[in-house]
Structure formats: C-alpha cells, structure tokens
Amino acid sequence: DIINVQTATTNLTGVYQCSGRDMDDEYSEHTINVQVNPPTVPTVPRNLTATVRDAYTVLTYTAPLENGTGGAVTLYRIVCDILGGMQHNLSFTTANVSFQIMDFYPAESYRCNVSPENSAGVGDMSTVSVQTRAGPPCPVELREARKAGGVLQLTGMIPCKGDHWIACEIERMPAAGFINPLRFACPVGAPFRVNDTSAVAGTLYNYTLAVANGFTAVKSQPLQGRM
C-alpha cells in the first residue's frame, strides 16, 4: 500500500520504522526515509511594463508562470525608488495585476520592482524603469478675497496632487506691513483659506499664489482684494 502524508512543515523529515499487516494478516516491518520539502514561493511576475501619463503611471504585469507549492499568489509587493541623488522611495501592495501610481515626482527616473507573494513568502522580483513626464503647469488659482472678521480672507485651489508641492506662498503688492511672502502648508485637492491680518482698510491689494516642488514653480493670476 502507498500512504500519502501531506504537511506544511519539515518537522517530519527523518528515518522511520514502519510495520503492519497485509490482507493475509502477515506481519512485516520496513525502514523508510521521509523527506518533507518546504513550500516554495512563486516565480517572477511576467511582462512588467510602465505606462506613463502626465499625472500618473500605471504598472501592468501578468501572473507568474508558476505559483510554487505555497499556493496561489495572494498579493504583489511594489517598491519604487528614484535614480540619482534625491531620496524618494515608495512601496505599495495590491492583489491586482495592474497598479496606478500618482506619487512620482515629475521629470524624474525611477526603478520599480514587483514581487509576488504566497503563503510561503515573497518570490523574486521583476524590474522596470520609469521616466516621468514634466507635465503641464498646474492651474493653481486664487479665487476670492473678502473681508471676514477684521481680516482679508483669501481662498484658492491647488489641484495637482501628483506634483508634490512643498512650498506654497502668497505674495502681496503693496507689501507694506505684510509678511511677504506669506508661507503656509500646501493643501492639495481641496480649497484653502489664508488670512491677511495686516491688510489696511480702504487699501487695494494684488495677491498672487506661488507654489513650487523643487523642480518647477507656478504662479496664479493676480487677484485684487480690498479691506
């Protein structure tokens, strides 16, 4: 007779003395060697490509040729790092065979690795190079300047999430008595409000929103406001 032993551990590896009786009730003993192999990880994802758009990049790939004995692929690990001096490392996980990334800096070179994972662990990676586009200028804007509780309140919008703005400021002319430029945390994708607490009653001002990310700087059209 053949006896199958299924296990997910190597603890059963060793030499065993087996005994039993056959159909004629005759007793016998045998020595057998048992080697239990640990489960294996998947092979590399295939056909990894990067499709670069103005504001995002899509990685696509197909499932590994072999899942390994550890079972089906449960997720893919994606790690992207910028090539050159700047540090910008990104990591993601997904169960899909495509993934959209909006967090790249514009006009930069990246290397992305995709590794499959099953119950046995993480398999080998496939690698692709990504060259992001500079992209069109972000249409930042100041929308309104109005009196509110003794200050001149400015509202505006910075819509471009993928551009990673790290410096946002408002310039005012004339600048007398104003912290010029007025810097503030960059809110992205939602309207923002900034108060000019030094505006003088009756004075007409020109305000300009300026944003920068280390690669480029963009300014809004001037907006007039009177306290």
Side-chain angles (χ1 to χ4, degrees):
D1 294 334
I2 297 176
I3 300 175
N4 286 327
V5 178
Q6 295 183 348
T7 180
T9 176
T10 58
N11 292 340
L12 296 182
T13 297
V15 179
Y16 291 82
Q17 187 76 24
C18 298
S19 62
R21 296 183 182 275
D22 60 19
M23 296 292 293
D24 298 323
D25 201 31
E26 293 184 1
Y27 179 83
S28 63
E29 293 184 352
H30 300 278
T31 300
I32 61 173
N33 292 318
V34 176
Q35 176 67 45
V36 179
N37 295 318
T40 57
V41 298
T43 55
V44 298
R46 298 170 296 161
N47 306 318
L48 174 59
T49 59
T51 303
V52 179
R53 304 300 186 195
D54 285 341
Y56 62 91
T57 296
V58 177
L59 300 182
T60 56
Y61 38 90
T62 53
L65 188 62
E66 297 180 2
N67 284 337
T69 59
V73 174
T74 54
L75 60 82
Y76 294 90
R77 297 190 177 275
I78 300 172
V79 177
C80 299
D81 57 283
I82 202 167
L83 300 177
M86 178 175 292
Q87 295 296 315
H88 188 221
N89 302 318
L90 302 169
S91 61
F92 313 93
T93 58
T94 179
N96 301 320
V97 290
S98 66
F99 191 76
Q100 178 176 296
I101 302 174
M102 298 182 63
D103 300 301
F104 287 148
Y105 290 155
E108 276 296 335
S109 298
Y110 285 83
R111 177 180 55 233
C112 290
N113 304 318
V114 180
S115 304
E117 182 174 333
N118 65 8
S119 63
V122 180
D124 290 335
M125 62 188 179
S126 292
T127 301
V128 67
S129 297
V130 178
Q131 178 63 52
T132 59
R133 298 179 182 177
C138 182
V140 299
E141 59 178 331
L142 284 176
R143 294 179 171 177
E144 184 182 23
R146 65 184 183 89
K147 292 188 289 185
V151 300
L152 196 59
Q153 187 177 82
L154 309 170
T155 61
M157 184 75 171
I158 305 172
C160 303
K161 178 180 184 297
D163 288 338
H164 288 272
W165 304 112
I166 57 177
C168 294
E169 57 191 33
I170 292 177
E171 302 168 354
R172 188 188 81 181
M173 294 300 294
F178 183 62
I179 301 175
N180 196 26
L182 176 63
R183 294 183 172 89
F184 60 99
C186 297
V188 175
F192 66 86
R193 294 181 177 85
V194 177
N195 293 330
D196 181 0
T197 59
S198 65
V200 177
T203 304
L204 181 65
Y205 296 99
N206 287 314
Y207 294 95
T208 304
L209 170 64
V211 297
N213 61 8
F215 302 99
T216 187
V218 179
K219 289 189 175 183
S220 70
Q221 294 295 319
L223 174 71
Q224 289 189 333
R226 187 187 300 273
M227 182 63 183

